[in-house]
Amino acid sequence: MILEATMPSALEDEFNPRLSAEARFDSAAARLGLDDGMRKVLRTPSREIIVHIPVVLDDGRLEVFTGYRVQHSIARGPAKGGIRYAPDVTLDEVRALASWMTWKCAVVNIPFGGGKGGVICDPSLLSEFELERITRRYTAEIFEFIGPEIDVPAPDMNTNEQTMAWIMDTYSMHARQTQAAVVTGKPIALGGSRGRAEATGRGCMIVTDQALRKLGLERRETRVVIQGFGNVGGMAARLMSRAGYRIVCIVEWDAAVYNAKGLDIAALMKHRRDTGSIQGFEGGEEIDRNDALFLETDVLIPAAKENVITSHNADRLRCKILCEGANGPCTQFADPILADKGIFVIPDILANAGGVTVSYFEWVQDRQGYFWSEQMVNDRLEEIMVNSFQDVVAYSEKHGVNNRLAAYMLSLDRVAQAIRLRGIYA
Ligand code: NAD
């Protein structure tokens, strides 16, 4: 057993993203033998911004919203990471997510640090105009802390390419010039990148391909269960089924659809578009969604949300490869159980890094003013994902640790090296 973890005293501890981020950081830092000073630097966010933003609502009432932007590290380049809108956003959550971005960018070796932002609001209760006003005022408040060379936000939970277009416009109005590279995940018409929408799902497929090779499996014989049929899971399902994988089960929040011969993913997508759900799809049978994750399968891709695989259910998994499409789908207390079961885990900071990699390509294209073909984007994505997978596996074999710990050690080492080379400015 490689990752040491004690059982959680309470379920909230197991589900707390900050504790989870710190536990993995601590294991990797200990294994690397990082000194106390470097641990303090790497553990502490470099900058935390809190803004309270007054916004006039559609009915004329004045409301004040709280927003955060945390820049965990800028040692390897500008901070990079999404902005989420949700009623339960906390500073602790944003801190944890910002540190994950630092490790994710380092593991795929792109020249970014890590950041994350959030605004406490409930988008389901806000009109499009209200969301636009919140976004613009939030952008104006953090104006001097973001920028193409400083901190480059992107979409996250409940934000999208329209939100990015508003941020880009507001920033550009203040800068008195159009600055497309201030955000990524923009509409293509405003400097977004071809291939960005599929990038995370495509990245999941590329690293799963690599894991198959490693375990001597063939795409055609490989059964796949995917939880979440959204941007990551839906794209992964579509691309993998086209590539010959057998997608035997899709699990959504309201249903799970199973077909041992493989689901027709294009038809399931059409069914969901037409009816709003995967329920009632004739090309498969509905099974209990609570059991679906524990089906016998070759590959399991949890691509919906965090904290799905825990100390309470990890021993029920029956997959050979676990490819973490979502951020944090396995808690730190599940890690040792997965290791004991011999499951080949492709950790989130590697598995879902295709999205931030193509965000990096978008930033490069915007700064060059020269836009690449979709083929060029996909080829370069493949090169980075394959190299990163091989780096992690080689690191894991060299140091005798599991893939997650290897990915963390590799990225901590890269960030620590940048800090040592730059030195501490006094
Ligand atoms: P999304 O909203 O497009 O899709 C999520 C899907 O999961 C939806 O279809 C939703 O109905 C489903 N879902 C929600 N709760 C569920 C449950 N309990 N059981 C089964 N299905 C459920 O979101 P997304 O962009 O695909 O992101 C999914 C995960 O991947 C998140 O953890 C996100 O942080 C992570 N991620 C996304 C990207 C990206 O580029 N979109 C990049 C890296 C990581």
Side-chain angles (χ1 to χ4, degrees):
M1 196 180 298
I2 287 152
L3 274 185
E4 299 291 333
T6 47
M7 287 300 283
S9 54
L11 218 52
E12 307 89 72
D13 281 359
E14 178 159 4
F15 289 175
N16 182 319
R18 180 178 58 79
L19 296 179
S20 171
E22 284 176 3
R24 274 134 181 190
F25 171 85
D26 287 340
S27 304
R31 195 71 198 217
L32 279 172
L34 285 184
D35 63 71
D36 275 356
M38 184 58 80
R39 280 193 211 200
K40 275 187 204 154
V41 175
L42 291 176
R43 209 176 221 281
T44 318
S46 141
R47 187 186 261 165
E48 301 180 344
I49 302 139
I50 303 178
V51 293
H52 300 290
I53 44 181
V55 174
V56 180
L57 301 179
D58 291 348
D59 63 7
R61 273 185 306 126
L62 186 58
E63 191 52 88
V64 176
F65 296 89
T66 296
Y68 305 110
R69 184 73 191 168
V70 173
Q71 293 162 0
H72 172 259
S73 170
I74 50 165
R76 287 169 42 89
K80 182 87 197 81
I83 293 174
R84 58 173 54 180
Y85 290 175
D88 54 357
V89 169
T90 65
L91 185 54
D92 246 8
E93 173 192 359
V94 177
R95 283 179 180 137
L97 293 164
S99 71
W100 266 322
M101 287 306 299
T102 303
W103 314 133
K104 196 181 291 189
C105 292
V107 89
V108 285
N109 216 355
I110 56 177
F112 285 138
K116 205 80 180 187
V119 177
I120 306 174
C121 65
D122 186 346
S124 67
L125 304 176
L126 294 161
S127 72
E128 185 84 345
F129 286 130
E130 289 168 334
L131 285 171
E132 179 174 352
R133 286 197 288 273
I134 290 172
T135 304
R136 288 188 182 277
R137 184 65 192 246
Y138 170 71
T139 308
E141 294 292 339
I142 62 171
F143 172 74
E144 54 273 71
F145 304 109
I146 60 172
E149 307 291 344
I150 304 171
D151 179 357
V152 186
D156 194 73
M157 199 189 287
N158 296 324
T159 58
N160 53 30
E161 42 175 58
Q162 178 59 71
T163 323
M164 296 307 111
W166 292 327
I167 296 179
M168 182 274 225
D169 181 67
T170 309
Y171 183 88
S172 298
M173 289 294 115
H174 282 257
R176 302 311 232 179
Q177 54 183 257
T178 295
Q179 287 277 7
V182 66
V183 282
T184 60
K186 297 178 294 295
I188 288 189
L190 285 181
S193 178
R194 290 189 172 77
R196 173 63 186 88
E198 304 85 38
T200 309
R202 185 178 293 282
C204 289
M205 177 173 78
I206 296 167
V207 290
T208 303
D209 282 347
Q210 294 300 305
L212 291 196
R213 277 181 162 213
K214 181 108 197 92
L215 303 188
L217 300 169
E218 294 284 336
R219 277 179 176 174
R220 295 232 156 257
E221 298 153 13
T222 300
R223 297 158 297 173
V224 184
V225 173
I226 302 182
Q227 183 195 43
F229 203 43
N231 181 296
V232 180
M235 287 299 175
R238 197 171 78 182
L239 295 168
M240 290 175 86
S241 108
R242 275 194 206 147
Y245 283 91
R246 190 149 44 103
I247 314 296
V248 293
C249 185
I250 295 287
V251 195
E252 259 292 327
W253 67 273
D254 57 345
V257 192
Y258 175 78
N259 185 334
K261 293 197 184 117
L263 293 160
D264 179 341
I265 296 298
L268 183 57
M269 280 189 161
K270 179 172 182 324
H271 177 84
R272 214 242 321 240
R273 257 196 318 276
D274 294 346
T275 67
S277 170
I278 61 168
Q279 271 177 339
F281 179 62
E282 287 182 354
E285 59 177 298
E286 269 179 48
I287 59 169
D288 186 337
R289 52 179 296 280
N290 296 313
D291 293 333
L293 284 189
F294 312 111
L295 286 169
E296 192 182 338
T297 182
D298 301 296
V299 180
L300 172 64
I301 307 185
K305 56 199 278 279
E306 69 289 348
N307 298 332
V308 175
I309 296 160
T310 69
S311 58
H312 300 274
N313 65 16
D315 62 334
R316 292 179 58 203
L317 290 187
R318 289 189 294 156
C319 59
K320 296 180 186 134
I321 297 168
L322 177 65
C323 174
E324 296 186 331
N327 282 318
C330 300
T331 69
Q332 76 269 32
F333 300 103
D335 282 343
I337 303 170
L338 300 176
D340 275 353
K341 288 174 75 78
I343 294 175
F344 189 93
V345 176
I346 312 176
D348 50 5
I349 58 172
L350 169 65
N352 68 37
V356 75
T357 302
V358 175
S359 277
Y360 163 55
F361 296 162
E362 178 174 336
W363 178 79
V364 169
Q365 292 171 77
D366 288 339
R367 290 162 89 230
Q368 286 182 328
Y370 172 69
F371 291 88
W372 309 349
S373 67
E374 188 163 346
Q375 191 59 50
M376 194 187 284
V377 170
N378 292 343
D379 289 349
R380 290 181 173 176
L381 172 65
E382 173 139 18
E383 188 184 341
I384 288 188
M385 296 303 294
V386 168
N387 289 343
S388 308
F389 178 93
Q390 285 169 357
D391 285 351
V392 168
V393 170
Y395 207 93
S396 136
E397 287 167 358
K398 181 170 168 204
H399 295 273
V401 297
N402 67 33
N403 290 340
R404 189 188 309 284
L405 192 49
Y408 271 83
M409 287 170 69
L410 180 64
S411 47
L412 260 69
D413 205 15
R414 284 181 177 158
V415 181
Q417 190 197 9
I419 293 171
R420 281 190 211 102
L421 286 169
R422 290 175 66 150
I424 302 295
Y425 177 71

